[in-house]
Amino acid sequence: MVMVILKTLLVILVTLIFKVGYDTISYYWLTPRRIKKTMEKQGVRGPKPRFITGNIIDMASLLSNSISQDMDTISHDTVPRLLPHFVAWSNQYGKRFIYWNGIEPRLCLTETKLIKEFLAKHSSISGKSWMQQQGSKYFIGLGLLMANGEDWHHQRHMVAPAFMGEKLKGYFGQMVECTNEMLQSLQIAFESRKNEVEIGDYLTKLTADIIARTEFGSSYEKGKQIFHLLTKLQVRCAQATRHLCFPGSRFFPNTYNKEIKSMKKEVERLLMEIIQSRKDSVEIGRSHSYGNDLLGILLDEIQKNGGSLNLQLVMDECKTFFFAGHETTALLLTWTTMLLASNPYWQDKVRNEVREVFNGGTPSLDQLSKLNVLQMVINESMRLYPPATMLPRMAFQDIVLGDLYIPKGLSVWIPLLAIHHSEELWGKDVNEFKPERFASKSFMPGRFIPFAFGPRNCVGQTFAIMEGKIILAMLISRFSFTISENYKHAPVTVLTIKPKHGVQICLKPLEP
């Protein structure tokens, strides 16, 4: 009897080892080889990949060289600096080429017609790859940004109400209040003879304050603690993703992994305290809803739809709100302020429009839609400095896209920055700051996609634009500002496009 059990266990063990071995060989060798051959038959080639690391070392070397020096002047020609591998390989292999992030093959796609078709029609059979999900696992988890398939559809349905109609209007007052507090801080800085400020710090703190209040309501102080931890966690996770191509790297007991797990644990402890207090309040009858903030709306939607409360998912959505709702808006505001500070003509033009629309009073929600010049400036800022350089999607099924056959397992990477800076699409003045190019609201679909496109577009884009307009309108009506001589133009990428040394501007308060 004992021998039979031992033989059975041995068979199970051998089968398991064989399966793990086959899956590993398939993942690291067979599947990439199949995809490479399929694409070569269509004439799509690229740089030769190294074993395991693919083209990661080549990309790192090109990027290290390109960002080693700050720019001599404020030049918006940033593609060679931030996407040097795209420039090198597109020149060598053409508009379509394939490169390797470790063992993950990536097809670079720049044709706007195909991009539009891919994002609009194939969202249900494409999404985030395993490597992308693992790279952000400890940072934002499997919230809406990283979910796929039915999970994504379910989460989008749950999250969408928080960014629509009356719910969206409810955040307006908090945005105005927080912005007034920032403007007072800037006034105090000026009165203490500090007329030069690093505006990025102020805008980052402001957007963190707004998302903490709109997401957590009265618990916003705890929300600020979460923000600081998530900011550190983002940097650590970005550093750790470099090693993901090595099997089991996420389990290595190195400094990165230890710090990441420790910070994730602390973030989730703070989130659980906020969520549990909401649950307790409803369960004992003290409140009939979980609250009017983003967290409360999410919990109410789950309850309304009869779903059980998946606490990990709720925490992942909260972290996603923080990253997507704070980080990208802070950078949009920082880059736009830099552009206005170095272009006084457009700064005056926006200020005159704000004065005409607001008539010297506090802004109202209805007035925001009348700020057409400001919207043009924001669009041009997002064209020149989009929140992300690339838009990734992996094909979960074989896809036919125009004359292109995309096999299952191939990631499609859309270089947003390169498309936004394409001379072919935008003209010879593509690297100039010219908001008037957005005077016409109709332009070629697929060439301007800062919030992506199709069903998987950014659910919070209306929230972000509303917040951006409020802050910029209030800032420009209280202060004039010029770019400081100390400003060094040095965009870098850490998941998002950031100014390496911040943005220093010189402020001057305006007469009421």
Side-chain angles (χ1 to χ4, degrees), residues 4 52 61 133 187 244 313 317 346 384-385 442 451 498:
V4 173
I52 297 291
S61 175
Q133 290 181 332
Q187 183 69 35
L244 271 177
L313 179 59
E317 296 297 4
W346 280 99
L384 292 170
Y385 300 92
S442 60
F451 294 110
K498 301 181 177 182

Side-chain angles (χ1 to χ4, degrees), residues 80-148:
R81 177 184 175 86
L82 300 178
L83 295 178
H85 58 287
F86 168 81
V87 174
W89 295 335
S90 61
N91 286 338
Q92 188 173 354
Y93 301 105
K95 285 186 176 181
R96 300 172 183 173
F97 62 85
I98 188 169
Y99 66 103
W100 300 78
N101 188 61
I103 48 84
E104 181 182 286
R106 295 177 171 178
L107 169 69
C108 189
L109 192 66
T110 58
E111 295 150 271
T112 55
K113 185 178 178 181
L114 297 187
I115 289 170
K116 183 186 175 187
E117 181 184 341
F118 180 66
L119 296 178
K121 295 182 180 179
H122 301 290
S123 63
S124 61
I125 54 173
S126 64
K128 305 297 182 177
S129 69
W130 174 87
M131 197 170 283
Q132 287 174 267
Q133 290 181 332
Q134 289 301 318
S136 62
K137 179 180 178 182
Y138 295 109
F139 176 40
I140 54 176
L142 290 176
L144 184 63
L145 200 60
M146 286 293 154
N148 290 323

Side-chain angles (χ1 to χ4, degrees), residues 199-426:
I199 196 64
D201 284 344
Y202 284 87
L203 294 171
T204 299
K205 182 179 180 300
L206 169 59
T207 53
D209 198 17
I210 287 172
I211 200 66
R213 289 176 191 247
T214 54
E215 186 169 350
F216 298 120
S218 59
S219 306
Y220 74 92
E221 286 296 342
K222 196 167 285 184
K224 288 181 182 179
Q225 295 177 48
I226 295 168
F227 156 70
H228 289 301
L229 284 168
L230 279 177
T231 303
K232 293 179 183 177
L233 193 54
Q234 177 188 355
V235 175
R236 281 287 179 261
C237 286
Q239 293 166 331
T241 53
R242 299 170 190 168
H243 312 293
L244 271 177
C245 57
F246 297 103
S249 64
R250 63 193 190 281
F251 302 116
F252 293 168
N254 54 31
T255 305
Y256 283 148
N257 287 340
K258 286 178 182 177
E259 286 184 6
I260 285 168
K261 288 174 183 177
S262 173
M263 284 189 280
K264 175 183 180 285
K265 188 175 179 181
E266 180 62 14
V267 165
E268 295 192 344
R269 183 189 69 78
L270 292 167
L271 283 170
M272 274 302 301
E273 287 180 4
I274 298 172
I275 293 167
Q276 193 60 50
S277 68
R278 303 287 179 94
K279 283 180 65 185
D280 293 344
S281 184
V282 170
E283 285 169 7
I284 65 175
R286 190 184 301 159
S287 175
H288 297 295
S289 76
Y290 290 101
N292 293 320
D293 48 29
L294 288 169
L295 173 60
I297 293 166
L298 177 61
L299 294 172
D300 280 333
E301 283 297 317
I302 294 173
Q303 191 74 22
K304 192 190 301 179
N305 287 276
S308 58
L309 205 59
N310 182 333
L311 294 177
Q312 185 60 55
L313 179 59
V314 173
M315 288 190 289
D316 287 349
E317 296 297 4
C318 287
K319 289 183 281 186
T320 300
F321 284 165
F322 244 102
F323 169 67
H326 151 259
E327 169 94 353
T328 54
T329 309
L331 289 169
L332 163 63
L333 290 164
T334 301
W335 288 121
T336 306
T337 304
M338 183 277 291
L339 290 165
L340 289 171
S342 50
N343 289 274
Y345 169 80
W346 280 99
Q347 185 181 149
D348 290 340
K349 200 170 175 66
V350 172
R351 184 175 292 110
N352 291 337
E353 179 185 64
V354 168
R355 283 175 172 168
E356 183 180 333
V357 172
F358 292 165
N359 197 26
T362 303
S364 69
L365 185 59
D366 295 336
Q367 293 171 323
L368 293 183
S369 61
K370 298 176 183 177
L371 297 174
N372 298 317
V373 175
L374 180 54
Q375 183 64 64
M376 287 158 52
V377 167
I378 289 172
N379 283 347
E380 181 69 343
S381 174
M382 290 191 293
R383 185 186 71 81
L384 292 170
Y385 300 92
T389 59
M390 308 285 281
L391 179 62
R393 296 281 190 273
M394 174 174 271
F396 300 139
Q397 294 179 22
D398 295 343
I399 294 172
V400 176
L401 199 63
D403 64 335
L404 191 62
Y405 170 73
I406 298 174
K408 176 182 176 181
L410 176 61
S411 277
V412 176
W413 279 65
I414 301 165
L416 294 185
L417 185 70
I419 291 167
H420 284 189
H421 286 254
S422 167
E423 186 175 315
E424 182 184 339
L425 296 173
W426 296 93

